[in-house]
Structure formats: structure tokens, C-alpha cells
Amino acid sequence: MNITVIGTGYVGLVVGACLAETGNTVIGADVDTGKIERLRENILPIYEPGLDEYVERNQRQSRLSFTTDIAAAVASADVVFIAVGTPPDEDGSADLRHVLDVARTIGNHASRELVVVTKSTVPVGTARKVASVIAESARFPFHMCSNPEFLKEGAAIEDFMRPDRVVIGVESDHSRSVMAELYSPFVRTGKPIIFMDIASAEMTKYAANAMLATRISFMNEIANLCEQVGADVDNVRKGIGSDSRIGSAFLFPGPGYGGSCFPKDVKALVRTADDYRVPLRVLAAVEETNEAQKHRLYQKLVALDGPVKGKRIAVWGLAFKPNTDDMRESPALVLVDALLEAGADVIAHDPVAMDGARRRLGDRIAFVENGYDAIEGADALVVVTDWNEYRHPDFARIRRLLRSPVVIDGRNLYDARKMRALGFRYDSIGRGATS
Ligand SMILES: NC(=O)c1ccc[n+]([C@@H]2O[C@H](COP(=O)([O-])OP(=O)(O)OC[C@H]3O[C@@H](n4cnc5c(N)ncnc54)[C@H](O)[C@@H]3O)[C@@H](O)[C@H]2O)c1
């Protein structure tokens, strides 16, 4: 099939590369000239394990190409995926400007019967708006679909190639059969393609992210209570996660959720509910809890070791989660801001997100290429992101390098008793201070 994916960010690039990998001819189109030029040279704008190989192989074998000529890319397509950004508007609702711009281009330039797929996360009713914009100028029949994306950054290729399920909102038999054919290579192990109406597909994406965000905020609040009552949240997590009605995923407490999806999607869903005058009280609390949780690491540091003014604080991990360089809404940004505002010097390390962090933070903090260099002479270490390389560090070396043996572990990576035995003053999330 001839497929055009408009938007070559985290989602568009993965979707395009994976659809090319299964034999389709795919054009990735984007307005960002620099990004497209680099992609043509196989230089990726993002860090995503395995994606570089897919892009390189499929470009070399002429199944994948990149262009800024969106009109031409639309004209040659049987299926167009819209995968542009939907950032939060000032009031928290999803900003659909880019999506509707693309719809206009599709209407003006489609040259044959077309399936149009919204891949971006968009509020209920968006496919309908896209359809009416396309219809203003379309000269050929087109079929709207909503196909929300559930990939996780850091495991995006695996998630797309072997999804738990594929959700597709359709309105015609034609789009249903085109989409079933397109996705058939990805569901050979029997995972379902769930066809439904478009509004339900749009809603499913928000409900999924809202549920996952709820689990995280719920566990963060349970963790905070564990600290007060003398319980260990890690035990509680295992105790409830083994219940098949609950399951173990997304129950890890931490410094709050971040990234490009949960914060904006929770806000957008609350905003949609406001428009319909349906109160989503649980989600409003989820968001409030998360905002508060992002300040916990700073608060814990001050509680354990006093004011940070004039101190040098080492930060391990800047990305909002491991295996990605995505800094959007990362809790590390909240921590760094609080530290700087209180007069600390910050020296940070991240295995892949430092370029992105530099773009956001400039020279307000120092960056080092090796995690241990951050610790040398520091008054405390705060671990924010659970990268593998931070899981089993050389504690004796850390102890030696730190000026004062203070460790705040925002991901419960370390054994509290062992840390205390090694002479650290240590705190983590939901397990009580052990200083
Ligand atoms: N990142 C994720 O993990 C993830 C997962 C599922 C769904 N989503 C959703 O997918 C959508 C895209 O997210 P992303 O993280 O890939 O965003 P992104 O910011 O990484 O990429 C968006 C791309 O769209 C391009 N673009 C913007 N306007 C355009 C236009 N008019 N024409 C052509 N290109 C245009 C931008 O230049 C950019 O390259 C969002 O709605 C997001 O909520 C994201």
C-alpha cells in the first residue's frame, strides 16, 4: 500500500518505519525542513531503541522516504496518517491547529479515493472536524478512521510491532478492510484488532492514559501515607499487584508522571468533560496529586539535609523515564528549578537526554558525560530517572566521591538497609527516611 504519514515525531516516525518494515511504501512528511534533511541522512531526531536500524534499512531498500512536500505526499497516497503534535492549548484543551492544517492540505491535494487516519491523540469529535475540513475542497471520496496509538516511548518499536491490541474507529466497510489488511502483520499472534465507532476510538485513548495516570497518582499517595504509618510501599505494591484484578503494571511510586502524553491528555480529558458539564473529579485529583508529587524529591532533600543554598547537588537522570531522550514535562525539570531557586548548584547526568535538557536549561546547570563526575564533591545525589546504569552503581565510589553521603532515590532503586549500612543518609519514596 502507498502510505503517507504526516508528522515525523516520536509517533509518526515509528509508525512510518514499522509500516515500511512490513512491505508498504511509506512517505514521512513534515514541515520541519532540518528534521527531514537529517532523516534522509538517517540521523534521527529522537532516541528510540531500534528505530535507527528500521529507518536506515527501509530507506536503503526504498520503502521509506522523507519529504517536506506534504501536498505531493498526499497526492500519492492510498492511506494518510495524521501524526502531528496536539499540544495543550492555554486552557488545557488539545490544540488542533496542526491537525486541521493537515486536513486542509489533504482536501486540496488528494488525487484518489483515500483513507484518512487520525493517529494523533485527539478529543472526541475531532475526526468529524477533520472530515468537514477535508470535505470543503476534496475532489475524491475519502474515509475517516481513528486509530489511536498506544506505543510507549523507549519500547515504541516493540509496542507497534507486537501490540496488545489495535483500536480502530471506522465508518465504512472500505476503511475497515484497508485497516485490517494494513495491521494484519502485527496481530499474527492473535492479538485483537478492535473495530468500533470513531467517537469510542477517540475516547479509548484518553481513557487508557487517564487510567494509567490514575494508577501512578494513586500509588504515589499510598507511598506518601506508607511513610507516615511505617509501611513499605514496595511490599504493598507487590501485595496488590499480584491480585489478578489489579495487575502489577504502573504501580511504581516515583517523582510523578511526565512526558508528552499523560499530563496533556489528562488535562485535555478534564477539559472535554468540563465542556459537557460532566465532572471528572477523580482525574482532577490525579493531576493535582501529580503536581504535588513532582516537588517531593526537593522536599525530601531539604527534610533530610537542610536548606540547599550554596550546596552542590548531583542529579542522575533528566528524561521523564528511561530509554527515551524526551524531556517534555519531566519531573527533573521541577526539581532543577526548585534547586536553582533555592540557591544550589546543579550538576546533572543522563545517558541520552542531555542535549534536550541543555536546550531547555541552557547553562543554568552543569552537565557531565559520566555519572560519577556529577557526584564528585557534591553535597547530595538525587536519582530521578531509573536508567539501568543507575541500578547497580559502585556505592563505595559514590560514598568516596560525595562530600556528604546524602542520597535521595526517587525510584526506589536501592536497598534502604544496605544504603544505611554503607553509611549513606538515604531516603526514597514510600519507604521512610533511614537517616
Ligand atoms: N509520544 C508518544 O509517546 C505518543 C504516544 C501515543 C500518542 N501520541 C500522540 O501522537 C501525536 C504526536 O506526538 P509526538 O510525540 O510524535 O509529537 P512530536 O512533537 O514528536 O512530533 C510532531 C511532528 O509533527 C510535525 N508537524 C507539526 N505540524 C505539522 C504540519 N502542519 N504538517 C506536517 N508536520 C507537522 C512537527 O514538525 C513534528 O515533527 C500527539 O497527538 C501525541 O499525543 C504520542
Side-chain angles (χ1 to χ4, degrees):
M1 258 185 255
N2 292 312
I3 294 164
T4 289
V5 181
I6 306 180
T8 57
Y10 283 85
V11 167
L13 200 49
V14 170
V15 170
C18 290
L19 291 175
E21 183 74 9
T22 49
N24 299 291
T25 303
V26 179
I27 302 176
D30 203 292
V31 284
D32 185 334
T33 315
K35 190 180 268 189
I36 292 297
E37 275 170 9
R38 286 189 292 278
L39 279 169
R40 286 179 172 153
E41 305 287 317
N42 295 314
I43 302 168
L44 268 55
I46 54 169
Y47 173 81
E48 185 60 50
L51 184 58
D52 46 356
E53 269 174 51
Y54 273 45
V55 169
E56 190 278 326
R57 181 171 48 246
N58 285 290
Q59 284 212 88
R60 182 161 35 83
Q61 296 177 353
S62 305
R63 285 189 299 267
L64 178 63
S65 60
F66 294 101
T67 185
T68 51
D69 189 345
I70 297 166
V74 166
S76 67
D78 303 309
V79 181
V80 174
F81 282 85
I82 304 176
V84 298
T86 48
D89 217 335
E90 275 162 24
D91 62 1
S93 62
D95 180 349
L96 297 178
R97 214 171 332 160
H98 304 309
V99 171
L100 297 176
D101 275 355
V102 171
R104 234 160 270 128
T105 309
I106 295 173
N108 288 331
H109 297 282
S111 68
R112 58 183 90 161
E113 186 170 6
L114 194 64
V115 173
V116 177
V117 186
T118 47
K119 194 52 146 164
S120 303
T121 302
V122 288
V124 177
T126 302
R128 206 163 286 239
K129 281 187 194 156
V130 168
S132 70
V133 170
I134 296 175
E136 284 168 17
S137 52
R139 288 162 292 127
F140 298 88
F142 67 93
H143 307 261
M144 276 312 298
C145 286
S146 163
N147 172 216
E149 182 50 56
F150 298 100
L151 63 77
K152 298 183 290 299
E153 286 178 18
I157 294 277
E158 176 66 19
D159 286 347
F160 195 88
M161 297 301 281
R162 275 172 283 277
D164 287 341
R165 63 8 188 142
V166 178
V167 169
I168 306 179
V170 289
E171 285 177 333
S172 76
D173 290 342
H174 176 74
S175 54
R176 186 184 172 114
S177 73
V178 167
M179 295 301 280
E181 191 184 331
L182 198 57
Y183 272 103
S184 60
F186 305 104
V187 292
R188 287 168 60 88
T189 53
K191 292 293 164 76
I193 298 179
I194 306 170
F195 285 102
M196 57 180 76
D197 61 280
I198 287 182
S200 300
E202 290 172 331
M203 188 67 191
T204 298
K205 173 65 189 174
Y206 282 99
N209 276 357
M211 171 64 91
L212 296 173
T214 300
R215 285 171 74 96
I216 293 172
S217 275
F218 173 80
M219 280 311 283
N220 283 334
E221 287 203 320
I222 292 292
N224 295 339
L225 182 58
C226 281
E227 288 175 7
Q228 299 307 315
V229 300
D232 180 335
V233 74
D234 282 348
N235 291 333
V236 175
R237 174 177 61 75
K238 288 176 200 153
I240 65 171
S242 52
D243 184 327
S244 62
R245 294 169 303 176
I246 296 174
S248 58
F250 281 81
L251 291 183
F252 288 84
Y257 60 75
S260 67
C261 293
F262 289 2
K264 95 173 160 55
D265 294 349
V266 168
K267 275 192 185 72
L269 187 54
V270 169
R271 179 62 223 220
T272 299
D274 285 349
D275 288 347
Y276 288 88
R277 297 207 169 79
V278 176
L280 290 189
R281 298 182 195 93
V282 171
L283 280 189
V286 164
E287 207 189 342
E288 196 186 329
T289 298
N290 195 56
E291 286 312 308
Q293 193 69 14
K294 286 182 173 180
H295 295 274
R296 288 292 287 155
L297 298 185
Y298 174 77
Q299 290 161 354
K300 278 175 173 289
L301 179 59
V302 173
L304 191 61
D305 198 41
V308 297
K309 191 171 169 37
K311 287 183 183 165
R312 180 184 165 97
I313 309 298
V315 173
W316 272 7
L318 295 165
F320 84 95
K321 66 173 183 179
N323 297 321
T324 181
D325 59 354
D326 201 338
M327 287 295 301
R328 289 178 281 187
E329 305 277 339
S330 174
L333 295 170
V334 174
L335 170 70
V336 165
D337 276 347
L339 290 170
L340 294 177
E341 205 166 302
D345 286 332
V346 178
I347 181 150
H349 173 263
D350 188 285
V352 303
M354 289 203 294
D355 285 346
R358 240 182 232 114
R359 281 195 292 277
R360 280 166 182 269
L361 296 164
D363 55 7
R364 295 165 66 216
I365 68 170
F367 297 94
V368 288
E369 294 298 327
N370 182 308
Y372 292 103
D373 291 343
I375 297 170
E376 194 167 1
D379 295 286
L381 166 64
V382 185
V383 182
V384 186
T385 316
D386 43 344
W387 285 96
N388 275 339
E389 70 176 73
Y390 301 147
R391 285 176 189 270
H392 289 287
D394 180 344
F395 290 112
R397 190 171 168 198
I398 295 176
R399 178 82 175 79
R400 235 183 7 258
L401 289 173
L402 278 174
R403 185 155 57 197
S404 153
V406 175
V407 174
I408 304 292
D409 174 1
R411 300 286 179 173
N412 293 0
L413 297 184
Y414 310 136
D415 181 323
R417 228 174 294 167
K418 187 172 153 194
M419 293 301 280
R420 192 171 43 210
L422 287 167
F424 287 103
R425 293 161 64 216
Y426 173 81
D427 196 7
S428 53
I429 306 283
R431 305 191 296 181
T434 55
S435 53

